[in-house]
Amino acid sequence: MSREAGTVWRAPRFVARYILLALLFAVAVFYQIGTARSLLGRVPVDYPVFAPSLTSPVLIFADSRALAAGLHKGDILVAINGRPCTGSIVYWEETLNAVPGKPLAVTVKSPAPDANERTVLLPVNRSWMGESTLLIPILMVMPVFFLLLGFWVALVRPGDRSAWLLLGLLLGFCQGFLGDYGLLGWGPDLAKFTAGYWNLAFLSWPAFMFLFGFYFPQPMPLSQRPGTVWRWLPAIVLAPYLLIALISEIVFVGGLTHYSTVQWLDSSLPHLHAIVTAYLYLLVTGFFSFIFTKSYREISPDSRRRLRLLAWGATIAMTPALLLAISVLVTGRTDFPNWLATIVSLLFVLFPLTLAYVIVVQRAMDVRVVLRQGVQYALAKNGIIVLQIVALSAVASTFVALTAHRDTPAKLTVIGLGLAAIFFVRRGGDRARGWLDRRFFREAYDAEQVLSELSDSVRSMVEVRSLIETVAGCISRTLHIPQVAVLLGGGPYRPAYALGYGELPDVAFPSGAGTVKLLEQQKEPARVYFDDPHSWLYREPGVGGDDRSRLTQLNAELLLPLSARDKLLGFISLGPKLSDEPYTRADLRLLKSVAAQTGLALENAQLISAIADEVAQRERLNSEVQIARDVQERLFPQTLPQIAGLEYAGACRTAFGVGGDYYDFLALPGGRLGIAIGDVSGKGIAAALTMASLQASLRSEATRAPDDLAALMGNVNRLLHQALASNRYATFFYGQYDPASRQLTYVNAGHNPPLLLRPSNGRCQVSRLMASGTVVGALEDAAYEQVSLALQPGDMLVAYTDGISEAMNANDEEWGEERLTDSLRRCVGLPPAEIISCIMQAADAFVAGAKQNDDMTLVVLCASAAP
């Protein structure tokens, strides 16, 4: 599975791997449940540690306390608590079931021929500060965490070899933390199965670790040369280890019940444990050698970041554990301080987390960035929590001390002071967290605030140059991106403005280039990964070497499309951040919002610029009205989206060539349709420009596809109020139709209520779509009512401007809404376009050629049966 979003995943390819994953998960969970049963069913104890060989009852290990009690390495273990040691299961059962206060009676004899048996009593004490402190988090929580982490990575990356190596590694780590507690979790009958699984998993983790270092993220460079022997290095190194591990497995399982079955190996491999241990350190050393070598030789910057992060994480996590293990081998001591064991165990968790991060993450961060953010987070979040715990502990201790020898009134006073102290500690901690958030994460907060404000402010910009300069400069300063280029056009797309390149880059993307096609289709930010063979740069059809060469010249790492009305107006190329930190999801969310609003503002600016340019050019030819009419015609819908179960049409006839009437149809997400009609105060060019501003404001808000149309109308009102003069306003009706539910939801800002004609029993009922709300643009803040109704098959909805109902004849008599309604009744059943034509003809017949002073606009919707 590729790291690149959008990769097509073919499920059948991974069916066998998922089956294997499920089987491994079942076995691991089975063993983990047995371990939990064993842990929860025993009392934590502490006793001198000793251990027999795998193939015979000869003691191969005794810590300092066991030696002091009278045991010696090389002694032959005869019995424990009176049970003859015929197999290692006796050792496991007696030690795992030891009871505090009852000594372990260990009967041994010297290997000398005439030696007598002797019994050594090893004290068994309850481990209050040992296992009881670490038992639950170390022996239960951490192994579960390792299992879930390993299986999650394999589930996310079923086709990634590194994910499976990580899973094998974590299964072994899990058994290392569990120790021998799960051997008898399901009783003696299943002891061979559980013991075999535990030993095999534990012995396999060094091999998986070695292979991970060799193959991640790519095999060692020497192994990729044709015919080189280095490609067989893993097999050469691991073959002896696998043979030794297999022998160890046979010995361990066979000697569990009867030493006699495997005692013949005792003379053949007297140092089996030492060989396994030495090989383990060899394989771990090989892992670190591979990682450190490749971290300085990888060509890909991302691979270098992954390897260096892995090298540092592995070093920090494993060094204390390795030093502790070497200390055990050299000194034989196992009674380390509890705080030391806790620190070592918690640090070790960093290793699998680092492995999972470098496999799953889409783009790795530099070590310095990870350390900086980690320290900041620890200070801003966890540090305060630790200080609160310390302070509360001090309060509790003081409380106990003060209440021990006091009378009742004094105790009540102390209790009151203690509760007050707890309250102030919590409140002080909350304030400290807030201060540290502002101190350490101020940059992130500022970036979000600045980009959010930019997203709102660009909508009011009407000059292309100032728009792209503002957007590029703000993004560059806020996210610390030294190289930003804005490419505009349509055939081809060329840099219109750039930062950090010295001079404007000489690149051009034809309209048919693969990069342009991708941005047009996806309408989403596209990451540019030259070093990822699964990236769209190598996967998408039409994206070839020319596209990659152009993007390399721009040093692009992220492309932001600037779109409006399903048209790609341009795109922004962002280079790497100064910190080498990859673009986060929060970055993409903010940048996507900025790009969407910039696209709408760019379209509006281009339209305004087109109007201004054409008016200036044709003023000399005295054709201002014709110019504005042509531009305004382009603002009306040019194509009508297909909506299931709905036919609709609209038309506008201006009184003076250009006017202030406005209608629009918007294709919304989910197949919904937006219907708008409005009437701007004033006439001519000024009204047309106001109409263009109304359209831009509506489309800017409607692209967010809100369900709250009342809030949408409030935002449109506020934007118009800021953009228009005090004497400008508009009546406006807007609705959204959902074909799935046949629901029409609408708001009305002082516009003529649309008419709904519904056939019923041979007659046609007429109702008005009423909703309260004042005109837009007149007041800064206004409230609007949102209403919904269901359209039924046969319904006809007619929205109109007052130029229709107030059409006047030569006698100054208005046509009126009643005549309009009568005409609509006669049009029931006709297509929407024909209905508009009939109404216009009826109005023209009434006015009989009298001059009209207002624009006439109609929008007709006819609901049909669902397809």
Side-chain angles (χ1 to χ4, degrees), residues 556-572:
E557 191 167 294
L558 185 70
L559 301 179
L560 298 176
L562 303 176
S563 304
R565 298 197 187 193
D566 295 329
K567 180 182 179 182
L568 184 67
L569 305 177
F571 58 92
I572 302 176

Side-chain angles (χ1 to χ4, degrees), residues 151-200:
F151 281 102
W152 173 74
V153 173
L155 190 64
V156 173
R157 298 274 186 263
D160 193 334
R161 174 173 50 195
S162 299
W164 288 90
L165 293 177
L166 173 64
L167 176 59
L169 184 61
L170 291 183
L171 287 176
F173 283 171
C174 181
Q175 306 320 312
F177 270 93
L178 290 174
D180 50 24
Y181 292 101
L183 296 182
L184 302 177
W186 291 102
D189 295 336
L190 293 177
K192 286 193 174 183
F193 170 77
T194 54
Y197 169 77
W198 174 78
N199 190 60
L200 184 63

Side-chain angles (χ1 to χ4, degrees), residues 457-783:
S457 63
V458 295
R459 291 181 292 188
S460 60
M461 297 183 182
V462 295
E463 294 184 4
V464 175
R465 181 70 182 184
S466 63
L467 171 66
I468 60 177
E469 286 182 0
T470 301
V471 171
C474 186
I475 292 176
S476 176
R477 291 190 303 272
T478 305
L479 296 180
H480 305 292
I481 306 170
Q483 292 182 314
V484 179
V486 183
L487 292 86
L488 301 178
Y493 293 86
R494 297 181 182 275
Y497 181 74
L499 290 172
Y501 293 93
E503 58 184 19
L504 211 60
D506 185 17
V507 295
F509 290 82
S511 57
T515 300
V516 174
K517 294 294 184 183
L518 177 80
L519 295 175
E520 285 178 338
Q521 294 170 3
Q522 291 191 350
K523 299 180 179 62
E524 295 284 338
R527 300 179 186 269
V528 181
Y529 294 154
F530 294 105
D531 55 352
D532 186 354
H534 301 290
S535 169
W536 61 268
L537 291 170
Y538 307 96
R539 191 187 72 245
E540 287 294 327
V543 179
D546 292 339
D547 281 63
R548 292 190 288 271
S549 176
R550 299 183 189 106
L551 293 172
T552 301
Q553 190 173 346
L554 291 173
N555 195 23
E557 191 167 294
L558 185 70
L559 301 179
L560 298 176
L562 303 176
S563 304
R565 298 197 187 193
D566 295 329
K567 180 182 179 182
L568 184 67
L569 305 177
F571 58 92
I572 302 176
S573 169
L574 303 180
K577 294 183 180 181
L578 283 174
S579 64
D580 282 336
E581 180 184 357
Y583 290 93
T584 64
R585 291 183 180 180
D587 293 337
L588 293 183
R589 176 177 55 81
L590 292 171
L591 290 171
K592 183 179 177 181
S593 176
V594 170
Q597 298 302 328
T598 302
L600 293 170
L602 190 60
E603 182 194 37
N604 193 33
Q606 290 177 344
L607 288 173
I608 298 299
S609 178
I611 294 175
D613 290 345
E614 291 188 20
V615 169
Q617 181 182 1
R618 297 191 186 184
E619 273 183 348
R620 296 188 299 269
L621 304 176
N622 198 23
S623 58
E624 175 185 335
V625 174
Q626 184 60 41
I627 298 170
R629 179 188 295 127
D630 293 341
V631 174
Q632 190 177 41
E633 281 296 323
R634 281 183 284 171
L635 297 179
F636 290 122
Q638 304 300 307
T639 59
L640 302 182
Q642 294 291 326
I643 303 297
L646 190 70
E647 298 178 43
Y648 60 98
C652 176
R653 189 169 71 187
T654 59
F656 302 100
V658 292
D661 275 14
Y662 162 62
Y663 78 94
D664 206 354
F665 300 113
L666 291 79
L668 302 176
R672 293 181 294 174
L673 177 70
I675 306 108
I677 187 170
D679 188 356
V680 176
S681 64
K683 310 294 179 185
I685 297 295
L689 292 175
T690 303
M691 170 255 193
S693 181
L694 174 61
Q695 183 204 49
S697 299
L698 173 64
R699 285 184 171 270
S700 171
E701 295 298 321
T703 52
R704 304 177 183 179
D707 294 326
D708 189 353
L709 299 189
L712 178 147
M713 189 68 83
N715 291 338
V716 171
N717 171 71
R718 186 177 65 257
L719 292 172
L720 279 181
H721 181 77
Q722 295 171 355
L724 301 181
S726 58
N727 61 341
R728 292 287 180 184
Y729 62 91
T731 65
F732 189 47
F733 172 88
Y734 178 69
Q736 289 185 358
Y737 176 71
D738 186 355
S741 61
R742 305 187 73 96
Q743 287 288 320
L744 175 70
T745 305
Y746 64 90
V747 287
N748 196 336
H751 195 75
N752 306 69
L755 301 174
L756 177 64
L757 285 80
R758 175 168 292 171
S760 177
N761 299 325
R763 303 184 62 185
C764 191
Q765 298 179 355
V766 180
S767 59
R768 292 169 176 79
L769 272 60
M770 307 297 295
S772 62
T774 187
V775 296
V776 292
L779 303 174
E780 182 174 2
D781 295 310

